Amino acid sequence: MEFVFVGRSNVGKSSVIRQLTGKRVLVGRRPGVTRKISRYHCGKIDIVDMPGFGFMAGVSREAQEHVKT
Ligand SMILES: Nc1nc2c(ncn2[C@@H]2O[C@H](COP(=O)(O)OP(=O)(O)O)[C@@H](O)[C@H]2O)c(=O)[nH]1
Ligand SMILES: [Mg+2]
């Protein structure tokens, strides 16, 4: 089974995944910390962390377009 966390940037997706899994999930105060799809194996469940939709601080326009794609 797979749970995919999607939503706007900086709303706490990665923080929730960190709490749920106890793994070292990268979280940050600025939007745009999660830029790649990350998969965390938890027994029979896979939790997937996605980059957020919307503004990313300090990320080039080109890189933002890449994330969106
Ligand atoms: N006040 C408050 N801040 C939170 C909460 N959850 C996460 N944050 C903070 O929101 C910021 C963004 O969190 P992050 O998990 O990286 O968001 P993501 O971009 O959706 O993955 C970080 O500074 C977190 O510490 C919460 O429940 N309450
Ligand atoms: Mg994140």
Side-chain angles (χ1 to χ4, degrees):
M1 199 185 301
E2 187 177 70
F3 289 94
V4 181
F5 280 64
V6 293
R8 293 185 66 86
S9 47
N10 221 33
V11 295
K13 298 180 296 300
S14 300
S15 300
V16 171
I17 295 172
R18 177 186 261 200
Q19 288 287 321
L20 287 174
T21 64
K23 294 183 194 271
R24 296 185 56 188
V25 182
L26 197 62
V27 304
R29 275 186 299 159
R30 297 179 312 148
V33 168
T34 309
R35 293 188 206 159
K36 288 185 182 156
I37 298 170
S38 301
R39 183 176 292 273
Y40 301 93
H41 303 290
C42 292
K44 291 181 178 171
I45 295 169
D46 270 10
I47 295 184
V48 181
D49 194 11
M50 298 285 285
F53 306 120
F55 177 68
M56 296 177 184
V59 179
S60 73
R61 192 181 196 90
E62 205 176 11
Q64 292 194 36
E65 288 303 321
H66 181 71
V67 169
K68 275 199 266 177
T69 304

